[in-house]
Amino acid sequence: MIKQKLINKRIEKNKTQEEIAHLLGITQSQYSRRESGITKITKSEWNVLTKILETNLETIYEPQDGIYILNNENEVNNLENKNNEHYEFTMAIMKKYIEKLEYENEALKWQLNSQQS
């Protein structure tokens, strides 16, 4: 998933991919893959990006596959409280993703057991 909010903020701040990549300690090509959604951006990279672009996480963050970054208190970063209108939607997405992972785990276990037999 293309990180359009991140791209827009980078352009707004007149920064090149090469400049951002240098500050992150990666190559321009590696950074380009992050902006284009090919490579996931780690939580620590998101934090550095907020400092580089002088903004907050909510301004540039876009979830990958409907997954939201969780903070240390296990609350979704871009939600102010549980009464937020997006809370139920976000939790439903997370539950579906967990179900998908559980299904994949079971399929892989079955495949592994079949190969051992």
Side-chain angles (χ1 to χ4, degrees):
M1 181 173 123
I2 295 175
K3 307 297 183 206
Q4 196 60 51
K5 289 166 65 174
L6 176 59
I7 294 167
N8 292 345
K9 182 55 84 170
R10 176 179 55 78
I11 292 169
E12 176 187 316
K13 294 289 186 173
N14 295 316
K15 300 277 188 191
T16 65
Q17 284 188 344
E18 190 170 284
E19 290 172 315
I20 301 287
H22 175 74
L23 293 169
L24 285 172
I26 59 177
T27 66
Q28 181 275 329
S29 177
Q30 289 171 319
Y31 180 75
S32 176
R33 287 194 295 272
R34 283 163 173 76
E35 273 191 359
S36 65
I38 296 169
T39 301
K40 288 185 180 180
I41 301 173
T42 66
K43 186 172 182 180
S44 62
E45 288 173 332
W46 280 114
N47 291 333
V48 173
L49 286 167
T50 62
K51 290 176 179 67
I52 294 169
L53 297 173
E54 301 170 333
T55 190
N56 58 36
L57 186 60
E58 291 78 17
T59 304
I60 60 172
Y61 178 71
E62 293 176 87
Q64 179 93 9
D65 299 329
I67 303 169
Y68 287 79
I69 294 176
L70 298 177
N71 65 19
N72 292 337
E73 290 81 35
N74 290 329
E75 294 177 23
V76 180
N77 273 345
N78 64 345
L79 300 178
E80 293 178 12
N81 59 50
K82 290 185 179 183
N83 295 326
N84 188 295
E85 65 186 63
H86 300 290
Y87 178 78
E88 293 298 324
F89 176 72
T90 301
M91 294 310 295
I93 289 172
M94 293 184 78
K95 286 177 184 176
K96 286 181 183 179
Y97 188 71
I98 290 169
E99 289 171 5
K100 176 183 174 188
L101 291 174
E102 288 172 342
Y103 175 80
E104 289 176 358
N105 282 340
E106 290 303 316
L108 289 170
K109 286 179 188 177
W110 182 84
Q111 185 180 16
L112 184 60
N113 287 334
S114 296
Q115 291 174 351
Q116 292 176 349
S117 299

